[in-house]
Amino acid sequence: MMGEAIAELQDLKADLKRKGVRYALASFVDIHGMCKGKVVPLSHIDQMLQGSELFTGAALDGVPQQISDEEVAAMPDPASATILPWKPEVAWFASDLYLENQPFAACCRGILKRSLRRAAELGFTFNLGIETEFFIFKETNEGGFRPVSDRDTIAKAAYAVPTLLDNYTILDSIVGAMNQLGWGVYSFDHEDAQGQFETDFGYCDALKMADRLTFFRLMVKELARQQGYFASFMPKPYSNQTGSGAHYNMSLADIHTGENLFVSADDPNGCKLSQLGYQFIAGILKHAPAICAVIAPTVNSYKRLVRQGSMSGFTWAPVYICYGSNNRTNMIRIPLAGGRVECRAADISTNLYLGAAMILTAGLEGIREGLDPGAPHRENMYTYSLNEIQAMGIQTLPRTLGEAIEAFAADPLSEEVMGALMYQTYIDFKQQEWQDYHNHVSDWEINRYLKFF
């Protein structure tokens, strides 16, 4: 077996060399899901794949170490090898973190792998698709930013063809790179806000999708920069326009046959979803406030999770913990074709390794306990008053990062998923982020109060 592994690694090295690769990048993520790593010459890839590259965790956000601790090692996954489309002499590898030759307890990728093992023990593969929404801007001479197209000024910007074509060159480079990597892009468009776009591409197993989203954010930033622009994955840069989601489209498959276990032609609700799918939804709804702290992980995330405030009307982001059929006003939506469920609360700043681990574990609990989510909501949930929502027994999603972290800390699911070390690290880091936000004196306060009092 060892001989086979060595042969496979040598084949990988030879293949990369044949393709013109000169360097290998061992990459992992911090608490934000941002790429960190080291680069080695291709001649050193054998050592790199055995964990030769070491990192001081104390120098990074949310990699819980003291400066006196042993360094963590990046252990690259050979199956994740990805040649950078914009710099083809470099190959990127998603990596797990190890400490003293053992998996590091607070490694984000390792946390997702633990959750996937729980699913596998039940006979499931977790398939995941992400709708990637993001902004492309250019800087102004005054130090601000604006959309690339001078025509991108209309209030209802969704699906606008002229401004899509104005951004054709940068979008073509992004979509072309995605397809070069074999991701199977099937559509892209101008989204609801000015300067906002979305790419839709094929689903895959959750670990591979988390690797891809991590790489996607790196790639889009680099491609935009090459053309003199910058890409932003901030959830809501405009207070009066729609924010950027990262809708999780989820299903469970039979681990042996690959059959989609969420498909049903006999759904009495007419949503084409199996009982297993409904139980999965129920588990997510049960733990939604805690999950929200991870899939909407920033102060800015909660400027997106509001009913109104968009120039086009509603913000398209969920507010209430409920589910429905093909209805975008619920936190969880069952798309028209059935066979999958969509979580609409997640935004594009999500660390997908952690977010997927939380939402999968909650869904599996719903299955194990046979939970029932009740009847689906088909009506416009935005039109109900808060009193009406409460009378229906529906909870509201956290309104701030502070509320979300309180829910995360109080829910036993969080420590079950994260492990004790990352659980406390996440709470401490996000509580400090929330405190820093409150201590900051904003332009809004200066404009409102400086000369008023």
PDB file of all heavy atoms in Angstrom, residues 214-251:
ATOM      1  N   THR A 214     -12.949  28.306  -1.206  1.00  0.00           N
ATOM      2  CA  THR A 214     -11.740  28.949  -0.684  1.00  0.00           C
ATOM      3  C   THR A 214     -10.856  29.416  -1.837  1.00  0.00           C
ATOM      4  O   THR A 214     -10.372  30.555  -1.844  1.00  0.00           O
ATOM      5  CB  THR A 214     -10.972  27.960   0.209  1.00  0.00           C
ATOM      6  OG1 THR A 214     -11.807  27.557   1.298  1.00  0.00           O
ATOM      7  CG2 THR A 214      -9.696  28.576   0.744  1.00  0.00           C
ATOM      8  N   PHE A 215     -10.657  28.546  -2.806  1.00  0.00           N
ATOM      9  CA  PHE A 215      -9.835  28.889  -3.972  1.00  0.00           C
ATOM     10  C   PHE A 215     -10.515  29.954  -4.828  1.00  0.00           C
ATOM     11  O   PHE A 215      -9.850  30.854  -5.369  1.00  0.00           O
ATOM     12  CB  PHE A 215      -9.566  27.630  -4.803  1.00  0.00           C
ATOM     13  CG  PHE A 215      -8.610  27.843  -5.943  1.00  0.00           C
ATOM     14  CD1 PHE A 215      -7.245  27.799  -5.737  1.00  0.00           C
ATOM     15  CD2 PHE A 215      -9.080  28.099  -7.222  1.00  0.00           C
ATOM     16  CE1 PHE A 215      -6.363  28.013  -6.796  1.00  0.00           C
ATOM     17  CE2 PHE A 215      -8.217  28.314  -8.277  1.00  0.00           C
ATOM     18  CZ  PHE A 215      -6.841  28.259  -8.062  1.00  0.00           C
ATOM     19  N   PHE A 216     -11.838  29.869  -4.960  1.00  0.00           N
ATOM     20  CA  PHE A 216     -12.592  30.816  -5.776  1.00  0.00           C
ATOM     21  C   PHE A 216     -12.375  32.245  -5.310  1.00  0.00           C
ATOM     22  O   PHE A 216     -12.128  33.150  -6.110  1.00  0.00           O
ATOM     23  CB  PHE A 216     -14.085  30.466  -5.719  1.00  0.00           C
ATOM     24  CG  PHE A 216     -14.993  31.438  -6.435  1.00  0.00           C
ATOM     25  CD1 PHE A 216     -15.222  31.319  -7.791  1.00  0.00           C
ATOM     26  CD2 PHE A 216     -15.622  32.464  -5.744  1.00  0.00           C
ATOM     27  CE1 PHE A 216     -16.058  32.210  -8.458  1.00  0.00           C
ATOM     28  CE2 PHE A 216     -16.460  33.353  -6.391  1.00  0.00           C
ATOM     29  CZ  PHE A 216     -16.665  33.224  -7.756  1.00  0.00           C
ATOM     30  N   ARG A 217     -12.460  32.470  -4.014  1.00  0.00           N
ATOM     31  CA  ARG A 217     -12.296  33.830  -3.504  1.00  0.00           C
ATOM     32  C   ARG A 217     -10.891  34.355  -3.767  1.00  0.00           C
ATOM     33  O   ARG A 217     -10.704  35.527  -4.112  1.00  0.00           O
ATOM     34  CB  ARG A 217     -12.644  33.881  -2.014  1.00  0.00           C
ATOM     35  CG  ARG A 217     -14.134  33.722  -1.773  1.00  0.00           C
ATOM     36  CD  ARG A 217     -14.562  34.032  -0.361  1.00  0.00           C
ATOM     37  NE  ARG A 217     -13.998  33.103   0.617  1.00  0.00           N
ATOM     38  CZ  ARG A 217     -14.642  32.729   1.717  1.00  0.00           C
ATOM     39  NH1 ARG A 217     -15.845  33.182   1.981  1.00  0.00           N
ATOM     40  NH2 ARG A 217     -14.072  31.902   2.565  1.00  0.00           N
ATOM     41  N   LEU A 218      -9.898  33.485  -3.606  1.00  0.00           N
ATOM     42  CA  LEU A 218      -8.524  33.869  -3.940  1.00  0.00           C
ATOM     43  C   LEU A 218      -8.414  34.205  -5.427  1.00  0.00           C
ATOM     44  O   LEU A 218      -7.850  35.245  -5.815  1.00  0.00           O
ATOM     45  CB  LEU A 218      -7.571  32.723  -3.578  1.00  0.00           C
ATOM     46  CG  LEU A 218      -6.120  32.868  -4.057  1.00  0.00           C
ATOM     47  CD1 LEU A 218      -5.424  33.998  -3.310  1.00  0.00           C
ATOM     48  CD2 LEU A 218      -5.366  31.546  -3.876  1.00  0.00           C
ATOM     49  N   MET A 219      -8.954  33.349  -6.273  1.00  0.00           N
ATOM     50  CA  MET A 219      -8.829  33.498  -7.719  1.00  0.00           C
ATOM     51  C   MET A 219      -9.523  34.756  -8.230  1.00  0.00           C
ATOM     52  O   MET A 219      -8.958  35.515  -9.034  1.00  0.00           O
ATOM     53  CB  MET A 219      -9.411  32.258  -8.414  1.00  0.00           C
ATOM     54  CG  MET A 219      -9.380  32.319  -9.933  1.00  0.00           C
ATOM     55  SD  MET A 219      -9.847  30.741 -10.681  1.00  0.00           S
ATOM     56  CE  MET A 219     -11.598  30.693 -10.292  1.00  0.00           C
ATOM     57  N   VAL A 220     -10.745  35.009  -7.765  1.00  0.00           N
ATOM     58  CA  VAL A 220     -11.492  36.170  -8.253  1.00  0.00           C
ATOM     59  C   VAL A 220     -10.793  37.466  -7.861  1.00  0.00           C
ATOM     60  O   VAL A 220     -10.711  38.412  -8.656  1.00  0.00           O
ATOM     61  CB  VAL A 220     -12.945  36.131  -7.738  1.00  0.00           C
ATOM     62  CG1 VAL A 220     -13.677  37.425  -8.053  1.00  0.00           C
ATOM     63  CG2 VAL A 220     -13.685  34.948  -8.343  1.00  0.00           C
ATOM     64  N   LYS A 221     -10.259  37.518  -6.656  1.00  0.00           N
ATOM     65  CA  LYS A 221      -9.523  38.709  -6.228  1.00  0.00           C
ATOM     66  C   LYS A 221      -8.301  38.942  -7.132  1.00  0.00           C
ATOM     67  O   LYS A 221      -8.018  40.077  -7.539  1.00  0.00           O
ATOM     68  CB  LYS A 221      -9.079  38.570  -4.770  1.00  0.00           C
ATOM     69  CG  LYS A 221     -10.186  38.815  -3.757  1.00  0.00           C
ATOM     70  CD  LYS A 221      -9.678  38.628  -2.341  1.00  0.00           C
ATOM     71  CE  LYS A 221     -10.727  39.017  -1.312  1.00  0.00           C
ATOM     72  NZ  LYS A 221     -10.926  40.473  -1.245  1.00  0.00           N
ATOM     73  N   GLU A 222      -7.584  37.879  -7.456  1.00  0.00           N
ATOM     74  CA  GLU A 222      -6.388  38.018  -8.276  1.00  0.00           C
ATOM     75  C   GLU A 222      -6.726  38.403  -9.715  1.00  0.00           C
ATOM     76  O   GLU A 222      -6.056  39.248 -10.319  1.00  0.00           O
ATOM     77  CB  GLU A 222      -5.581  36.717  -8.244  1.00  0.00           C
ATOM     78  CG  GLU A 222      -4.990  36.393  -6.884  1.00  0.00           C
ATOM     79  CD  GLU A 222      -4.063  37.494  -6.388  1.00  0.00           C
ATOM     80  OE1 GLU A 222      -3.153  37.894  -7.129  1.00  0.00           O
ATOM     81  OE2 GLU A 222      -4.271  37.970  -5.250  1.00  0.00           O
ATOM     82  N   LEU A 223      -7.774  37.791 -10.272  1.00  0.00           N
ATOM     83  CA  LEU A 223      -8.158  38.105 -11.651  1.00  0.00           C
ATOM     84  C   LEU A 223      -8.670  39.535 -11.760  1.00  0.00           C
ATOM     85  O   LEU A 223      -8.382  40.233 -12.745  1.00  0.00           O
ATOM     86  CB  LEU A 223      -9.209  37.111 -12.146  1.00  0.00           C
ATOM     87  CG  LEU A 223      -8.716  35.672 -12.331  1.00  0.00           C
ATOM     88  CD1 LEU A 223      -9.886  34.747 -12.686  1.00  0.00           C
ATOM     89  CD2 LEU A 223      -7.640  35.584 -13.404  1.00  0.00           C
ATOM     90  N   ALA A 224      -9.432  39.993 -10.779  1.00  0.00           N
ATOM     91  CA  ALA A 224      -9.910  41.376 -10.792  1.00  0.00           C
ATOM     92  C   ALA A 224      -8.740  42.348 -10.691  1.00  0.00           C
ATOM     93  O   ALA A 224      -8.688  43.368 -11.389  1.00  0.00           O
ATOM     94  CB  ALA A 224     -10.903  41.596  -9.650  1.00  0.00           C
ATOM     95  N   ARG A 225      -7.811  42.038  -9.835  1.00  0.00           N
ATOM     96  CA  ARG A 225      -6.644  42.907  -9.647  1.00  0.00           C
ATOM     97  C   ARG A 225      -5.840  43.031 -10.929  1.00  0.00           C
ATOM     98  O   ARG A 225      -5.310  44.103 -11.255  1.00  0.00           O
ATOM     99  CB  ARG A 225      -5.783  42.337  -8.513  1.00  0.00           C
ATOM    100  CG  ARG A 225      -4.573  43.184  -8.155  1.00  0.00           C
ATOM    101  CD  ARG A 225      -3.872  42.598  -6.931  1.00  0.00           C
ATOM    102  NE  ARG A 225      -2.672  43.357  -6.609  1.00  0.00           N
ATOM    103  CZ  ARG A 225      -1.480  43.130  -7.143  1.00  0.00           C
ATOM    104  NH1 ARG A 225      -1.325  42.143  -8.026  1.00  0.00           N
ATOM    105  NH2 ARG A 225      -0.432  43.865  -6.801  1.00  0.00           N
ATOM    106  N   GLN A 226      -5.729  41.934 -11.677  1.00  0.00           N
ATOM    107  CA  GLN A 226      -4.980  41.967 -12.938  1.00  0.00           C
ATOM    108  C   GLN A 226      -5.570  42.976 -13.921  1.00  0.00           C
ATOM    109  O   GLN A 226      -4.857  43.515 -14.764  1.00  0.00           O
ATOM    110  CB  GLN A 226      -4.962  40.580 -13.578  1.00  0.00           C
ATOM    111  CG  GLN A 226      -3.969  39.621 -12.954  1.00  0.00           C
ATOM    112  CD  GLN A 226      -3.863  38.327 -13.732  1.00  0.00           C
ATOM    113  OE1 GLN A 226      -4.679  38.034 -14.610  1.00  0.00           O
ATOM    114  NE2 GLN A 226      -2.854  37.531 -13.433  1.00  0.00           N
ATOM    115  N   GLN A 227      -6.885  43.211 -13.817  1.00  0.00           N
ATOM    116  CA  GLN A 227      -7.549  44.122 -14.755  1.00  0.00           C
ATOM    117  C   GLN A 227      -7.773  45.515 -14.156  1.00  0.00           C
ATOM    118  O   GLN A 227      -8.493  46.335 -14.724  1.00  0.00           O
ATOM    119  CB  GLN A 227      -8.870  43.504 -15.212  1.00  0.00           C
ATOM    120  CG  GLN A 227      -8.659  42.193 -15.980  1.00  0.00           C
ATOM    121  CD  GLN A 227      -9.923  41.688 -16.655  1.00  0.00           C
ATOM    122  OE1 GLN A 227     -10.784  42.460 -17.049  1.00  0.00           O
ATOM    123  NE2 GLN A 227     -10.026  40.378 -16.810  1.00  0.00           N
ATOM    124  N   GLY A 228      -7.143  45.782 -13.011  1.00  0.00           N
ATOM    125  CA  GLY A 228      -7.229  47.107 -12.410  1.00  0.00           C
ATOM    126  C   GLY A 228      -8.431  47.334 -11.532  1.00  0.00           C
ATOM    127  O   GLY A 228      -8.722  48.475 -11.164  1.00  0.00           O
ATOM    128  N   TYR A 229      -9.138  46.269 -11.163  1.00  0.00           N
ATOM    129  CA  TYR A 229     -10.320  46.364 -10.310  1.00  0.00           C
ATOM    130  C   TYR A 229     -10.044  45.656  -8.981  1.00  0.00           C
ATOM    131  O   TYR A 229      -8.961  45.137  -8.752  1.00  0.00           O
ATOM    132  CB  TYR A 229     -11.532  45.723 -10.989  1.00  0.00           C
ATOM    133  CG  TYR A 229     -11.757  46.166 -12.407  1.00  0.00           C
ATOM    134  CD1 TYR A 229     -11.976  45.243 -13.429  1.00  0.00           C
ATOM    135  CD2 TYR A 229     -11.734  47.515 -12.751  1.00  0.00           C
ATOM    136  CE1 TYR A 229     -12.179  45.650 -14.735  1.00  0.00           C
ATOM    137  CE2 TYR A 229     -11.927  47.937 -14.055  1.00  0.00           C
ATOM    138  CZ  TYR A 229     -12.147  46.994 -15.052  1.00  0.00           C
ATOM    139  OH  TYR A 229     -12.339  47.401 -16.337  1.00  0.00           O
ATOM    140  N   PHE A 230     -11.043  45.607  -8.115  1.00  0.00           N
ATOM    141  CA  PHE A 230     -10.925  44.749  -6.945  1.00  0.00           C
ATOM    142  C   PHE A 230     -12.265  44.071  -6.694  1.00  0.00           C
ATOM    143  O   PHE A 230     -13.325  44.648  -6.937  1.00  0.00           O
ATOM    144  CB  PHE A 230     -10.432  45.517  -5.709  1.00  0.00           C
ATOM    145  CG  PHE A 230     -11.420  46.473  -5.090  1.00  0.00           C
ATOM    146  CD1 PHE A 230     -12.260  46.078  -4.046  1.00  0.00           C
ATOM    147  CD2 PHE A 230     -11.496  47.787  -5.536  1.00  0.00           C
ATOM    148  CE1 PHE A 230     -13.152  46.962  -3.479  1.00  0.00           C
ATOM    149  CE2 PHE A 230     -12.388  48.689  -4.962  1.00  0.00           C
ATOM    150  CZ  PHE A 230     -13.213  48.274  -3.928  1.00  0.00           C
ATOM    151  N   ALA A 231     -12.184  42.823  -6.256  1.00  0.00           N
ATOM    152  CA  ALA A 231     -13.378  42.041  -5.928  1.00  0.00           C
ATOM    153  C   ALA A 231     -13.594  42.101  -4.436  1.00  0.00           C
ATOM    154  O   ALA A 231     -12.640  42.064  -3.649  1.00  0.00           O
ATOM    155  CB  ALA A 231     -13.212  40.598  -6.382  1.00  0.00           C
ATOM    156  N   SER A 232     -14.848  42.188  -4.028  1.00  0.00           N
ATOM    157  CA  SER A 232     -15.181  42.230  -2.602  1.00  0.00           C
ATOM    158  C   SER A 232     -16.158  41.118  -2.259  1.00  0.00           C
ATOM    159  O   SER A 232     -17.176  40.943  -2.927  1.00  0.00           O
ATOM    160  CB  SER A 232     -15.804  43.585  -2.227  1.00  0.00           C
ATOM    161  OG  SER A 232     -16.182  43.574  -0.857  1.00  0.00           O
ATOM    162  N   PHE A 233     -15.833  40.411  -1.194  1.00  0.00           N
ATOM    163  CA  PHE A 233     -16.711  39.385  -0.647  1.00  0.00           C
ATOM    164  C   PHE A 233     -17.285  39.844   0.686  1.00  0.00           C
ATOM    165  O   PHE A 233     -17.710  39.023   1.508  1.00  0.00           O
ATOM    166  CB  PHE A 233     -15.950  38.066  -0.524  1.00  0.00           C
ATOM    167  CG  PHE A 233     -15.528  37.520  -1.854  1.00  0.00           C
ATOM    168  CD1 PHE A 233     -14.289  37.827  -2.388  1.00  0.00           C
ATOM    169  CD2 PHE A 233     -16.390  36.743  -2.597  1.00  0.00           C
ATOM    170  CE1 PHE A 233     -13.904  37.353  -3.630  1.00  0.00           C
ATOM    171  CE2 PHE A 233     -16.022  36.253  -3.845  1.00  0.00           C
ATOM    172  CZ  PHE A 233     -14.775  36.563  -4.369  1.00  0.00           C
ATOM    173  N   MET A 234     -17.306  41.152   0.888  1.00  0.00           N
ATOM    174  CA  MET A 234     -18.005  41.730   2.028  1.00  0.00           C
ATOM    175  C   MET A 234     -19.496  41.476   1.837  1.00  0.00           C
ATOM    176  O   MET A 234     -20.033  41.670   0.742  1.00  0.00           O
ATOM    177  CB  MET A 234     -17.729  43.232   2.073  1.00  0.00           C
ATOM    178  CG  MET A 234     -18.396  43.979   3.198  1.00  0.00           C
ATOM    179  SD  MET A 234     -17.959  45.751   3.104  1.00  0.00           S
ATOM    180  CE  MET A 234     -18.863  46.372   4.528  1.00  0.00           C
ATOM    181  N   PRO A 235     -20.198  41.024   2.864  1.00  0.00           N
ATOM    182  CA  PRO A 235     -21.612  40.676   2.668  1.00  0.00           C
ATOM    183  C   PRO A 235     -22.478  41.834   2.185  1.00  0.00           C
ATOM    184  O   PRO A 235     -23.322  41.644   1.316  1.00  0.00           O
ATOM    185  CB  PRO A 235     -22.056  40.193   4.054  1.00  0.00           C
ATOM    186  CG  PRO A 235     -20.806  39.730   4.705  1.00  0.00           C
ATOM    187  CD  PRO A 235     -19.718  40.622   4.201  1.00  0.00           C
ATOM    188  N   LYS A 236     -22.271  43.049   2.723  1.00  0.00           N
ATOM    189  CA  LYS A 236     -23.160  44.145   2.348  1.00  0.00           C
ATOM    190  C   LYS A 236     -22.411  45.484   2.343  1.00  0.00           C
ATOM    191  O   LYS A 236     -22.432  46.223   3.325  1.00  0.00           O
ATOM    192  CB  LYS A 236     -24.371  44.214   3.272  1.00  0.00           C
ATOM    193  CG  LYS A 236     -25.476  45.106   2.695  1.00  0.00           C
ATOM    194  CD  LYS A 236     -26.773  44.977   3.460  1.00  0.00           C
ATOM    195  CE  LYS A 236     -27.858  45.832   2.796  1.00  0.00           C
ATOM    196  NZ  LYS A 236     -29.131  45.790   3.528  1.00  0.00           N
ATOM    197  N   PRO A 237     -21.769  45.827   1.228  1.00  0.00           N
ATOM    198  CA  PRO A 237     -21.035  47.093   1.171  1.00  0.00           C
ATOM    199  C   PRO A 237     -21.925  48.327   1.062  1.00  0.00           C
ATOM    200  O   PRO A 237     -21.489  49.432   1.391  1.00  0.00           O
ATOM    201  CB  PRO A 237     -20.144  46.936  -0.064  1.00  0.00           C
ATOM    202  CG  PRO A 237     -20.792  45.888  -0.886  1.00  0.00           C
ATOM    203  CD  PRO A 237     -21.500  44.977   0.068  1.00  0.00           C
ATOM    204  N   TYR A 238     -23.157  48.164   0.562  1.00  0.00           N
ATOM    205  CA  TYR A 238     -24.102  49.275   0.446  1.00  0.00           C
ATOM    206  C   TYR A 238     -25.230  49.082   1.457  1.00  0.00           C
ATOM    207  O   TYR A 238     -25.849  48.017   1.509  1.00  0.00           O
ATOM    208  CB  TYR A 238     -24.735  49.324  -0.940  1.00  0.00           C
ATOM    209  CG  TYR A 238     -23.816  49.598  -2.096  1.00  0.00           C
ATOM    210  CD1 TYR A 238     -23.606  48.631  -3.071  1.00  0.00           C
ATOM    211  CD2 TYR A 238     -23.204  50.834  -2.247  1.00  0.00           C
ATOM    212  CE1 TYR A 238     -22.797  48.887  -4.168  1.00  0.00           C
ATOM    213  CE2 TYR A 238     -22.390  51.096  -3.340  1.00  0.00           C
ATOM    214  CZ  TYR A 238     -22.188  50.115  -4.298  1.00  0.00           C
ATOM    215  OH  TYR A 238     -21.387  50.378  -5.375  1.00  0.00           O
ATOM    216  N   SER A 239     -25.556  50.126   2.216  1.00  0.00           N
ATOM    217  CA  SER A 239     -26.643  49.993   3.182  1.00  0.00           C
ATOM    218  C   SER A 239     -28.003  49.909   2.509  1.00  0.00           C
ATOM    219  O   SER A 239     -28.939  49.324   3.061  1.00  0.00           O
ATOM    220  CB  SER A 239     -26.626  51.172   4.157  1.00  0.00           C
ATOM    221  OG  SER A 239     -26.820  52.398   3.471  1.00  0.00           O
ATOM    222  N   ASN A 240     -28.141  50.475   1.297  1.00  0.00           N
ATOM    223  CA  ASN A 240     -29.446  50.535   0.639  1.00  0.00           C
ATOM    224  C   ASN A 240     -29.560  49.591  -0.548  1.00  0.00           C
ATOM    225  O   ASN A 240     -30.437  49.748  -1.391  1.00  0.00           O
ATOM    226  CB  ASN A 240     -29.741  51.968   0.186  1.00  0.00           C
ATOM    227  CG  ASN A 240     -28.796  52.427  -0.910  1.00  0.00           C
ATOM    228  OD1 ASN A 240     -27.690  51.895  -1.039  1.00  0.00           O
ATOM    229  ND2 ASN A 240     -29.210  53.410  -1.698  1.00  0.00           N
ATOM    230  N   GLN A 241     -28.657  48.613  -0.641  1.00  0.00           N
ATOM    231  CA  GLN A 241     -28.735  47.643  -1.730  1.00  0.00           C
ATOM    232  C   GLN A 241     -28.567  46.227  -1.183  1.00  0.00           C
ATOM    233  O   GLN A 241     -28.174  46.029  -0.034  1.00  0.00           O
ATOM    234  CB  GLN A 241     -27.662  47.938  -2.792  1.00  0.00           C
ATOM    235  CG  GLN A 241     -27.856  49.289  -3.479  1.00  0.00           C
ATOM    236  CD  GLN A 241     -26.917  49.484  -4.634  1.00  0.00           C
ATOM    237  OE1 GLN A 241     -26.687  48.575  -5.435  1.00  0.00           O
ATOM    238  NE2 GLN A 241     -26.365  50.690  -4.755  1.00  0.00           N
ATOM    239  N   THR A 242     -28.863  45.274  -2.020  1.00  0.00           N
ATOM    240  CA  THR A 242     -28.828  43.872  -1.627  1.00  0.00           C
ATOM    241  C   THR A 242     -27.410  43.430  -1.284  1.00  0.00           C
ATOM    242  O   THR A 242     -26.450  43.870  -1.902  1.00  0.00           O
ATOM    243  CB  THR A 242     -29.373  43.009  -2.775  1.00  0.00           C
ATOM    244  OG1 THR A 242     -30.654  43.500  -3.153  1.00  0.00           O
ATOM    245  CG2 THR A 242     -29.502  41.557  -2.363  1.00  0.00           C
ATOM    246  N   GLY A 243     -27.294  42.524  -0.321  1.00  0.00           N
ATOM    247  CA  GLY A 243     -25.998  41.958   0.035  1.00  0.00           C
ATOM    248  C   GLY A 243     -25.708  40.677  -0.728  1.00  0.00           C
ATOM    249  O   GLY A 243     -26.535  40.179  -1.498  1.00  0.00           O
ATOM    250  N   SER A 244     -24.518  40.142  -0.498  1.00  0.00           N
ATOM    251  CA  SER A 244     -24.069  38.947  -1.214  1.00  0.00           C
ATOM    252  C   SER A 244     -24.255  37.692  -0.372  1.00  0.00           C
ATOM    253  O   SER A 244     -23.633  37.540   0.687  1.00  0.00           O
ATOM    254  CB  SER A 244     -22.591  39.088  -1.597  1.00  0.00           C
ATOM    255  OG  SER A 244     -22.421  40.061  -2.608  1.00  0.00           O
ATOM    256  N   GLY A 245     -25.095  36.811  -0.858  1.00  0.00           N
ATOM    257  CA  GLY A 245     -25.299  35.532  -0.194  1.00  0.00           C
ATOM    258  C   GLY A 245     -24.330  34.485  -0.715  1.00  0.00           C
ATOM    259  O   GLY A 245     -23.571  34.695  -1.663  1.00  0.00           O
ATOM    260  N   ALA A 246     -24.363  33.330  -0.064  1.00  0.00           N
ATOM    261  CA  ALA A 246     -23.648  32.147  -0.529  1.00  0.00           C
ATOM    262  C   ALA A 246     -24.562  30.966  -0.218  1.00  0.00           C
ATOM    263  O   ALA A 246     -24.271  30.145   0.642  1.00  0.00           O
ATOM    264  CB  ALA A 246     -22.302  31.990   0.164  1.00  0.00           C
ATOM    265  N   HIS A 247     -25.697  30.930  -0.890  1.00  0.00           N
ATOM    266  CA  HIS A 247     -26.733  29.960  -0.556  1.00  0.00           C
ATOM    267  C   HIS A 247     -26.177  28.537  -0.608  1.00  0.00           C
ATOM    268  O   HIS A 247     -25.597  28.122  -1.598  1.00  0.00           O
ATOM    269  CB  HIS A 247     -27.917  30.097  -1.511  1.00  0.00           C
ATOM    270  CG  HIS A 247     -28.520  31.469  -1.489  1.00  0.00           C
ATOM    271  ND1 HIS A 247     -29.173  32.002  -2.581  1.00  0.00           N
ATOM    272  CD2 HIS A 247     -28.554  32.416  -0.533  1.00  0.00           C
ATOM    273  CE1 HIS A 247     -29.597  33.223  -2.277  1.00  0.00           C
ATOM    274  NE2 HIS A 247     -29.227  33.485  -1.041  1.00  0.00           N
ATOM    275  N   TYR A 248     -26.380  27.800   0.494  1.00  0.00           N
ATOM    276  CA  TYR A 248     -25.960  26.409   0.573  1.00  0.00           C
ATOM    277  C   TYR A 248     -27.067  25.549  -0.044  1.00  0.00           C
ATOM    278  O   TYR A 248     -28.171  25.482   0.478  1.00  0.00           O
ATOM    279  CB  TYR A 248     -25.806  25.972   2.027  1.00  0.00           C
ATOM    280  CG  TYR A 248     -24.630  26.512   2.815  1.00  0.00           C
ATOM    281  CD1 TYR A 248     -23.958  27.677   2.463  1.00  0.00           C
ATOM    282  CD2 TYR A 248     -24.218  25.836   3.957  1.00  0.00           C
ATOM    283  CE1 TYR A 248     -22.900  28.147   3.221  1.00  0.00           C
ATOM    284  CE2 TYR A 248     -23.162  26.304   4.727  1.00  0.00           C
ATOM    285  CZ  TYR A 248     -22.510  27.459   4.358  1.00  0.00           C
ATOM    286  OH  TYR A 248     -21.461  27.922   5.134  1.00  0.00           O
ATOM    287  N   ASN A 249     -26.777  24.853  -1.136  1.00  0.00           N
ATOM    288  CA  ASN A 249     -27.713  23.909  -1.750  1.00  0.00           C
ATOM    289  C   ASN A 249     -27.265  22.500  -1.401  1.00  0.00           C
ATOM    290  O   ASN A 249     -26.187  22.058  -1.825  1.00  0.00           O
ATOM    291  CB  ASN A 249     -27.758  24.129  -3.257  1.00  0.00           C
ATOM    292  CG  ASN A 249     -28.462  25.413  -3.616  1.00  0.00           C
ATOM    293  OD1 ASN A 249     -29.676  25.439  -3.785  1.00  0.00           O
ATOM    294  ND2 ASN A 249     -27.708  26.507  -3.737  1.00  0.00           N
ATOM    295  N   MET A 250     -28.086  21.791  -0.633  1.00  0.00           N
ATOM    296  CA  MET A 250     -27.625  20.585   0.059  1.00  0.00           C
ATOM    297  C   MET A 250     -28.478  19.363  -0.239  1.00  0.00           C
ATOM    298  O   MET A 250     -29.690  19.462  -0.397  1.00  0.00           O
ATOM    299  CB  MET A 250     -27.647  20.843   1.567  1.00  0.00           C
ATOM    300  CG  MET A 250     -26.837  22.053   2.001  1.00  0.00           C
ATOM    301  SD  MET A 250     -27.132  22.508   3.734  1.00  0.00           S
ATOM    302  CE  MET A 250     -28.762  23.271   3.607  1.00  0.00           C
ATOM    303  N   SER A 251     -27.813  18.212  -0.271  1.00  0.00           N
ATOM    304  CA  SER A 251     -28.524  16.935  -0.340  1.00  0.00           C
ATOM    305  C   SER A 251     -27.625  15.854   0.238  1.00  0.00           C
ATOM    306  O   SER A 251     -26.403  16.011   0.311  1.00  0.00           O
ATOM    307  CB  SER A 251     -28.909  16.586  -1.783  1.00  0.00           C
ATOM    308  OG  SER A 251     -27.748  16.415  -2.585  1.00  0.00           O
TER     309      SER A 251
END
